[in-house]
Amino acid sequence: MQVPTIIIDSCGLIDGRIEQLVAAHMLLGRLVVPDFIIDELHILISGESALKQRRSEAGLGTLVRLQTRGKIAISETTEPLPDTVPVDDRLLLLAQELQAYLYTIDQELIGRAVDQGICVVNVNSVTHLLQPMYFPGDRLTIELIKRGERPNQAVGYTAEGIQVVVDHAARYIGSSVVVECRKVHQTTAGRMIFARLV
C-alpha cells in the first residue's frame, strides 16, 4: 500500500497537536513541510506582533521536535513555485501536484482545498468526532464557572471541553455540581449539553 504524502501548513505546526497525533501513531504518512512555510514562520518571527512571534516560534519548535524524533520523516520540499504566488495558493498547487493530503486547521484554506478535490486532515474535526456521546438522563459532575445567557443559568465544561448549560444553577457558580443531561444540541462549533441540577 502506498504511503500518502501529508503537507503541513503553518497553522498545523503552530497548533502543535500534530505532535500528539504522530506520537500516538495516528497520523501515518510522509510528512512534508514546504520551504515557503518555514520561510513564512521566520518572517512572522521577525515581525512586530509579539503574539505572532511567539506562535511562530512554537510552530518552528514543533517542526524541530518532529524532525529529531525520527519515527516519521519530516522533509522540506523546494517545488519550483514562484514567490509571487500567495502561500495558500502555493500549498494548494503543491497538494495537487503531489496528490497529497493537506494538514491544516485554517477553515478558509480547508474550504478551498475541498472545493478543489484535495483531501484535508483537520484535527478540529477529529477532536469533535472523538468527543464522548451523552444522552438524556446521563449524569456528570462539572464545575460551574460563569453565568448563562438566561437568568439563573450557569455554564460549565466537561473534561473534553463540551459546554454544559445548567438551569437554575447561577447560585452554584464556582462550585462542582452533579447535573443530569436533558438535551444534547449539535452546533457548528461542536456539541452543547443542556442539563438540570440533581
Side-chain angles (χ1 to χ4, degrees), residues 14-184:
I14 289 169
D15 173 72
R17 287 176 286 180
I18 190 170
E19 280 191 82
Q20 296 165 346
L21 292 172
V22 170
H25 306 286
M26 296 181 69
L27 191 63
L28 303 176
R30 175 178 168 257
L31 301 183
V32 175
V33 179
D35 285 346
F36 56 84
I37 291 296
I38 298 170
D39 292 342
E40 180 186 35
L41 290 172
H42 282 295
I43 290 168
L44 292 171
I45 287 172
S46 304
E48 295 181 2
S49 170
L51 177 60
K52 287 182 179 178
Q53 288 174 359
R54 287 194 300 274
R55 290 171 59 83
S56 300
E57 286 170 356
L60 286 174
T62 299
L63 175 61
V64 168
R65 287 188 297 275
L66 286 170
Q67 283 177 316
T68 56
R69 180 168 292 152
K71 291 183 179 176
I72 296 181
I74 308 294
S75 61
E76 300 170 12
T77 183
T78 51
E79 294 300 320
L81 298 171
D83 292 340
T84 53
V85 176
V87 169
D88 284 359
D89 292 345
R90 297 172 82 185
L91 281 168
L92 296 172
L93 288 168
L94 185 60
Q96 287 177 332
E97 185 171 332
L98 299 179
Q99 296 183 331
Y101 289 69
L102 182 60
Y103 181 102
T104 183
I105 60 169
D106 182 326
Q107 285 302 126
E108 185 178 332
L109 182 57
I110 289 168
R112 291 182 61 195
V114 170
D115 287 344
Q116 295 181 32
I118 297 168
C119 295
V120 177
V121 180
N122 177 3
V123 71
N124 287 339
S125 296
V126 174
T127 301
H128 289 311
L129 289 171
L130 294 179
Q131 287 179 340
M133 296 297 294
Y134 291 98
F135 299 94
D138 285 349
R139 292 187 175 188
L140 53 154
T141 302
I142 60 165
E143 182 181 357
L144 299 175
I145 60 171
K146 63 181 181 180
R147 290 188 173 276
E149 291 183 3
R150 296 183 179 171
N152 293 319
Q153 278 185 342
V155 175
Y157 294 87
T158 67
E160 303 80 25
I162 301 172
Q163 186 180 69
V164 182
V165 179
V166 186
D167 289 327
H168 308 294
R171 67 183 181 275
Y172 296 106
I173 291 173
S175 303
S176 289
V177 295
V178 178
V179 300
E180 182 178 285
C181 175
R182 291 190 305 104
K183 181 173 70 170
V184 178

